[in-house]
Amino acid sequence: MSPTSAPPGRQSEVRSAAQGGVVTLAGSGLSAVLGFVLNLMFARELGAHGAGIVLQSIAVFTIALSFGKLGLDTTAVWCLPRFLLGDRAKVKPAIIGLLVPAVLTSLLVDLVWFGLVALPGVHIFSHEMHDALLLSAIFLPAAVVMTVALASTRAFGGVVPFNLIGNILVPVVRPLGLLVVVAMGGAATAATFSWALPWLFGAVAAMVVVIRQVTRREDLQALPWRRDRAVDREIFRYSLPRSVMAGLEQAILWLDVILVGSILGATQSGIYGSAARFVSAGMIVLTALRIVVAPRFSAMLAERDLDALSHLYLVTTRWIVLFGSPVYLTLALFSPTVLAWFGPGFGRGAHSMTILCLGSVATLAAGNVQSLLLMSGRIGWGVTNKLVVLVFNLGLNLWLIPRVGITGAAVSWALSMVLDTALAAIQVRRATGLTLAPGATAHSLAAVCLCVLVPSGAVLLTLGQGNVQLLLAIIVSGVLLLAYCAVDRHRLELVDLAMLRRGSRQD
């Protein structure tokens, strides 16, 4: 079925996803820019060694956060849209059942960590790392509450609170805090504290928003706030395996940074971590659309509207490839230029950055397949997939890092992402019956490669590396890509994105 002949219901879903995606993409883009600025400040002010301490601390904190939130953020996106469609009496009990365990579990994770540090003779990390982790751990409960509360706000049909708090407030405060730390002569430990403190501001704001969203809905106002054991059981049947899955996900994403620091030292970890963090910012298109479409995936699966689900997945995957992969292809070619911005020595991570970028393109080509698997409710399958990938990632890292250094870490991460995506695609087909045909997005990926790789490669071969050359490559590639979008706008359903500028008058 061509996009122009799609049923009105499908067009409405695509247009709604486009509208939310544009808002979230803008917020995620700002967050990515601010994240890059923060990484640049870490590298410039602290050097490779100090940046390595901070990035390893962030890695450990992020893994602890994934366990502390107990999978309740994804559970909120999965269950609340279903309750709002069906039994609204479960909504308020679900909010309580999501937030109270979030606080208690995060406190428990903190107690375990403090207990490990207090044990005599236990030296998991260096003294400087221990200090940084102890300071950041204070804010773990706030980080968990903010994450779960913001996920709950998405179920009520809007992404503005998520963006204002998660993509603007917290990322804006972090560089400002680091400036204060640097002005006061603080080292890596104080810089880690300045990174963790904004979680507290975000948690307070997120709680205020989610409570207002619930209390302002007329269909929920008369319903009581009370615990419901049946709802709690429903939540935990999903959240407990999701917690394990989330922990494994973050371990896969951050394990290489920690292992590089443990095997090769903090300086190499700083170089590799800066490249990896820079590359992770390129996932903003995938993340932005995931935030918007995950609740819709859940609702469509609950209603068994597989045709609309398949259409929404395909269209948004094309958008992800179209707007996400050019970033990675450009970074892959100009990695030495980009890493030189961080200061002397960081250019040694160029090969790693190129490999990480190519692995990320393969991940983008599958779209939001991970969200589809989660929203199908087959959480146990996802846990199995992540466990397989983590074992693969750990084994490959331990074998390659001592032999080829940070390049080996990059190869391990890229291959792990490809394996993770392939397993999820297989599981989605079994869970939903949807066939995620790669050929459906191959045309878009080929067009992007033609528009970006050819002109950027020509600039690189004739003029070499450099900031001016990078800017020239971006301009030429951008013009060609825009021309392609104009020619193929109907098949790509970019008309829906353009309609947003006119206020979506056809809704």
Side-chain angles (χ1 to χ4, degrees):
M1 178 179 292
S2 67
T4 55
S5 62
R10 295 190 197 176
Q11 290 181 337
S12 177
E13 284 292 344
V14 170
R15 194 170 304 144
S16 180
Q19 187 170 12
V22 168
V23 174
T24 308
L25 184 59
S28 299
L30 177 60
S31 178
V33 170
L34 292 170
F36 169 71
V37 170
L38 187 64
N39 288 338
L40 192 62
M41 292 172 66
F42 285 149
R44 289 285 187 177
E45 301 297 337
L46 304 176
H49 179 82
I53 296 294
V54 176
L55 292 174
Q56 288 181 82
S57 301
I58 293 174
V60 175
F61 185 96
T62 305
I63 294 172
L65 172 61
S66 65
F67 284 106
K69 65 187 180 182
L70 205 65
L72 294 165
D73 54 335
T74 306
T75 306
V77 178
W78 171 74
C79 72
L80 289 177
R82 296 169 184 249
F83 293 160
L84 288 168
L85 282 173
D87 190 355
R88 291 184 177 85
K90 293 182 177 180
V91 173
K92 287 184 177 179
I95 297 293
I96 297 173
L98 290 164
L99 292 174
V100 172
V103 175
L104 297 178
T105 306
S106 59
L107 289 173
L108 179 61
V109 173
D110 260 354
L111 287 174
V112 171
W113 173 248
F114 285 126
L116 286 174
V117 174
L119 287 175
V122 175
H123 300 288
I124 304 175
F125 300 105
S126 67
H127 177 72
E128 195 173 9
M129 274 284 294
H130 269 128
D131 291 344
L133 287 170
L134 283 174
L135 284 175
S136 61
I138 297 171
F139 300 99
L140 182 63
V144 171
V145 168
M146 173 184 141
T147 304
V148 176
L150 285 183
S152 300
T153 67
R154 291 161 52 193
F156 291 89
V159 293
V160 173
F162 183 92
N163 284 285
L164 289 178
I165 299 171
N167 287 331
I168 297 178
L169 174 64
V170 172
V172 164
V173 173
R174 280 175 174 155
L176 297 177
L178 184 59
L179 286 174
V180 174
V181 167
V182 170
M184 297 177 64
T189 301
T192 304
F193 178 83
S194 72
W195 174 86
L197 177 62
W199 287 113
L200 181 60
F201 308 139
V204 173
M207 283 295 297
V208 170
V209 169
V210 74
I211 291 173
R212 283 177 58 85
Q213 283 185 324
V214 175
T215 56
R216 291 176 65 179
R217 280 186 63 127
E218 293 183 0
D219 56 346
L220 299 177
Q221 287 176 357
L223 299 175
W225 288 94
R226 66 169 184 267
R227 294 293 297 273
D228 186 322
R229 292 184 179 181
V231 172
D232 289 346
R233 286 193 294 270
E234 194 169 351
I235 287 173
F236 281 106
R237 275 197 300 268
Y238 188 94
S239 71
L240 290 176
R242 172 56 185 158
S243 174
V244 177
M245 183 178 176
L248 295 174
E249 282 176 344
Q250 294 304 322
I252 293 167
L253 291 174
W254 288 97
L255 184 63
D256 48 356
V257 176
I258 298 173
L259 288 176
V260 167
S262 300
I263 297 172
L264 303 179
T267 299
Q268 289 296 308
S269 179
I271 295 171
Y272 178 76
S274 296
R277 290 278 288 173
F278 194 89
V279 169
S280 67
M283 286 288 178
I284 60 172
V285 178
L286 179 68
T287 303
L289 284 171
R290 172 180 58 78
I291 290 167
V292 176
V293 301
R296 289 177 172 81
F297 284 166
S298 178
M300 289 175 179
L301 285 165
E303 296 173 333
R304 300 302 300 168
D305 192 354
L306 297 185
D307 288 339
L309 177 66
S310 177
H311 182 72
L312 180 61
Y313 168 79
L314 175 59
V315 172
T316 54
T317 299
R318 285 172 175 162
W319 291 349
I320 289 167
V321 169
L322 186 64
F323 298 115
S325 54
V327 176
Y328 285 119
L329 294 176
T330 303
L331 288 175
L333 290 174
F334 287 92
S335 54
T337 296
V338 173
L339 286 175
W341 299 344
F342 289 91
F346 283 89
R348 287 177 288 175
H351 292 303
S352 299
M353 188 171 180
T354 298
I355 295 168
L356 292 170
C357 287
L358 296 178
S360 298
V361 171
T363 301
L364 291 181
N368 275 300
V369 66
Q370 302 288 352
S371 291
L372 260 181
L373 181 59
L374 288 174
M375 295 303 105
S376 72
R378 302 304 199 280
I379 192 70
W381 295 359
V383 172
T384 302
N385 292 347
K386 300 301 180 185
L387 184 59
V388 170
V389 174
L390 179 61
V391 171
F392 174 80
N393 180 272
L394 177 61
L396 204 56
N397 267 309
L398 292 176
W399 184 58
L400 288 177
I401 290 176
R403 289 168 173 78
V404 291
I406 59 177
T407 301
V411 170
S412 301
W413 184 88
L415 292 178
S416 296
M417 291 299 99
V418 172
L419 176 61
D420 190 26
T421 302
L423 290 174
I426 294 171
Q427 299 288 23
V428 163
R429 182 174 182 177
R430 292 181 59 191
T432 67
L434 293 179
T435 300
L436 310 180
T441 55
H443 182 275
S444 300
L445 183 58
V448 169
C449 289
L450 185 64
C451 293
V452 176
L453 283 182
V454 173
S456 297
V459 170
L460 185 62
L461 289 174
T462 55
L463 302 177
Q465 295 282 344
N467 294 325
V468 174
Q469 294 91 319
L470 172 60
L471 181 60
L472 177 62
I474 291 173
I475 292 173
V476 176
S477 300
V479 170
L480 292 176
L481 196 60
L482 286 174
Y484 162 67
C485 290
V487 171
D488 208 15
R489 62 188 179 278
H490 292 294
R491 191 184 66 84
L492 295 170
E493 299 197 37
L494 294 176
V495 175
D496 291 303
L497 288 173
M499 286 178 66
L500 299 179
R501 297 175 60 186
R502 302 194 298 268
S504 299
R505 288 192 296 266
Q506 297 182 21
D507 278 347

